[in-house]
């Protein structure tokens, strides 16, 4: 067996750049599997904004912080290369929470490991229209934000992986959709490729003023960002609107939580329901979501752009691209 290259977290990062100062590429001789473990030859790694928080020392997040010296964790798609679990024979194409490594070793139940459909033409869709971001978008828009046909759905970080899927789920469910994203290219993508009703460039436009033009107010808000964007949306919510708190990417690089929201008063004034949700709580319902997501994918109603980087040695470049907003769609690394 060849050596296994992996990324190790050495220090807690500051900010969202120069990650090479905090993580290092290491190589190990693979150790024998323990009973029940599975080794996966990684073909693709998923870059997920939420994992940035696991690198910080904060203990009040939804996951405990990753210990210094540990392999960096992340979603992996690849083939089982060695197994001590008969449910996952060698050669099976699987996806689950593994490591940023050429060979991930996982305990299937802890990793949420599952065999994925080999008939999907582009395997990256297991991180795209059929992946965790899509499940997040589906649960968040349909159940947490409970969007209704005809009302306005606002989505922040709308041109990223989760956001672009949330926009499309809302559009497919009959909502009018406004996406909030950074820069004119992303806004063009949202309007022209995803067919949204409105796109707002939060870097160059007054988000609060533009949202005020949405007739009837925003019925449902799928928030990936928090901070200033949440503050711009709250005063524009319709009465009895629903806010699905999906992520707070504006604050993941800090060692202390973002303050706010400054417009907390609007939750009372507009009788809003605000609810956080975390997709690992819904993993067992994946089989329930997949047929609808697959039907939309096959019908061209759920698409994903991929922002692809090659090679385990370039993982940090891909990760930084995502956290600094240089991506449109899903950031993946081909191993
Ligand atoms: N609740 C859950 O279970 C769950 C599951 C998956 C993902 N999420 C959340 O979904 C969000 C998106 O994650 P993702 O993995 O799909 O990444 P992504 O959206 O593909 O990439 C992150 C995007 O965040 C935006 N961003 C970064 N810093 C920002 C800032 N300070 N203000 C505003 N926007 C900023 C950037 O877009 P711009 O150029 O537009 O700024 C960037 O493209 C994250 O908050 C993540 O935690 C939650």
């Amino acid at each position: 067996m060849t050596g296994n290259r992996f990324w190790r977290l050495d220090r807690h990062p500051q900010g969202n750049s120069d990650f090479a100062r905090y993580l290092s590429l290491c190589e190990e001789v693979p150790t024998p599997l323990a009973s029940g473990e599975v080794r996966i030859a990684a073909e693709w790694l998923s870059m997920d904004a939420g994992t940035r928080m696991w690198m910080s020392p904060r203990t009040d997040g939804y996951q405990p912080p990753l210990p210094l010296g540990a392999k960096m964790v992340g979603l992996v798609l690849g083939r089982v290369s060695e197994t001590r679990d008969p449910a996952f024979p060698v050669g099976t194409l699987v996806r689950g929470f593994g490591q940023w490594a050429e060979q991930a070793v996982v305990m299937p139940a802890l990793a949420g490991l599952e065999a994925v459909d080999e008939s999907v033409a582009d395997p990256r869709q297991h991180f795209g229209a059929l992946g965790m971001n899509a499940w997040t978008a589906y649960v968040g828009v349909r159940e947490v934000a409970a969007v209704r046909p005809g009302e306005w759905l606002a989505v922040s970080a709308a041109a990223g992986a989760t956001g672009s899927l949330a926009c499309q789920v809302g559009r497919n469910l009959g909502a009018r959709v406004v996406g909030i994203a950074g820069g004119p290219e992303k806004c063009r993508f949202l309007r022209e490729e995803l067919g949204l009703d409105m796109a707002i460039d939060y870097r160059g436009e007054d988000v609060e003023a533009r949202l005020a033009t949405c007739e009837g107010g925003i019925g449902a808000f799928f928030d990936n960002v928090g901070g200033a964007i949440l503050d711009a949306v709250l005063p524009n919510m319709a009465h009895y609107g629903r806010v699905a708190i999906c992520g707070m990417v504006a604050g993941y690089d800090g060692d202390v939580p973002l303050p706010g929201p400054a417009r907390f008063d609007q939750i009372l004034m507009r009788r809003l329901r605000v609810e956080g949700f975390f997709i690992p709580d819904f993993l067992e319902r994946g089989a329930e979501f997949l047929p609808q997501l697959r039907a939309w994918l096959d019908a061209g109603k759920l698409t994903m752009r991929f922002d692809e980087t090659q090679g385990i040695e370039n993982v940090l470049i891909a990760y930084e691209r995502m956290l600094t907003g240089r991506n449109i769609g899903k950031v993946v690394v081909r191993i």
Side-chain angles (χ1 to χ4, degrees), residues 37-318:
E37 283 185 337
V38 168
R39 197 182 317 274
I40 304 160
E43 296 179 6
W44 301 92
L45 298 180
S46 165
M47 298 289 106
D48 292 281
T51 61
R52 173 65 184 82
M53 222 179 2
W54 305 353
M55 294 180 177
S56 92
R58 280 181 59 183
T59 54
D60 58 352
Y62 45 49
Q63 299 278 98
L66 195 66
L68 295 181
K71 289 176 183 166
M72 182 56 197
V73 290
L75 280 168
V76 56
L77 176 71
R79 287 194 188 274
V80 174
S81 60
E82 194 184 346
T83 186
R84 293 198 63 193
D85 181 340
F88 294 98
V90 168
T92 313
L93 187 64
V94 290
R95 177 192 59 210
F97 287 94
Q99 301 93 35
W100 286 1
E102 291 170 310
Q103 300 170 40
V105 174
V106 302
M107 195 60 94
L110 298 178
L113 195 71
E114 56 185 330
V116 294
D117 185 350
E118 296 253 10
S119 74
V120 176
D122 181 351
R124 298 176 302 178
Q125 292 294 4
H126 295 300
F127 284 154
L130 305 175
M132 300 289 172
N133 302 108
W135 297 10
T136 305
Y138 192 68
V139 168
V141 170
R142 197 167 153 267
E143 298 188 11
V144 186
V147 77
R148 299 172 194 142
E151 73 178 359
W152 280 100
L153 165 72
V155 177
S156 56
T162 310
S164 65
L165 290 159
C167 289
Q168 295 175 81
V169 169
R171 185 202 60 201
N172 292 347
L173 294 175
R176 288 183 286 175
V177 183
V178 49
I180 305 163
E185 190 196 347
K186 292 189 179 190
C187 288
R188 215 170 11 256
F189 162 76
L190 293 172
R191 279 192 309 270
E192 293 173 11
E193 288 192 34
L194 302 190
L196 301 198
D197 300 274
M198 188 190 289
I200 304 175
D201 171 7
Y202 75 88
R203 293 185 207 270
E205 296 183 271
D206 182 334
V207 179
E208 189 169 336
R210 286 222 49 211
L211 286 173
T213 67
C214 293
E215 200 190 335
I218 306 296
F221 177 35
F222 185 102
D223 191 17
N224 284 313
V225 173
I229 290 182
L230 177 58
D231 284 331
V233 179
L234 286 177
N236 280 300
M237 292 295 297
H239 283 73
Y240 305 102
R242 288 83 51 211
V243 179
I245 303 289
C246 176
M248 298 199 163
V249 66
Y252 290 163
D253 62 340
D255 287 345
V256 291
L258 277 181
R263 299 311 313 272
F264 191 85
D265 63 314
Q266 295 299 303
I267 296 170
L268 170 62
M269 304 310 162
R270 291 169 192 274
R271 290 75 138 178
L272 306 179
R273 178 166 63 74
V274 180
E275 185 177 337
F277 71 104
F278 183 45
I279 205 62
D281 297 344
F282 295 84
L283 284 189
E284 282 172 8
R285 290 182 54 200
E288 181 192 323
F289 313 141
L290 271 176
Q292 176 66 83
L293 296 171
R294 181 69 194 264
W296 280 337
L297 173 67
D298 291 345
K301 291 178 157 182
L302 200 60
T303 58
M304 177 54 80
R305 260 219 218 172
F306 291 96
D307 180 302
E308 186 177 317
T309 297
Q310 300 273 336
I312 186 86
E313 63 281 7
N314 293 320
V315 161
L316 300 186
I317 294 171

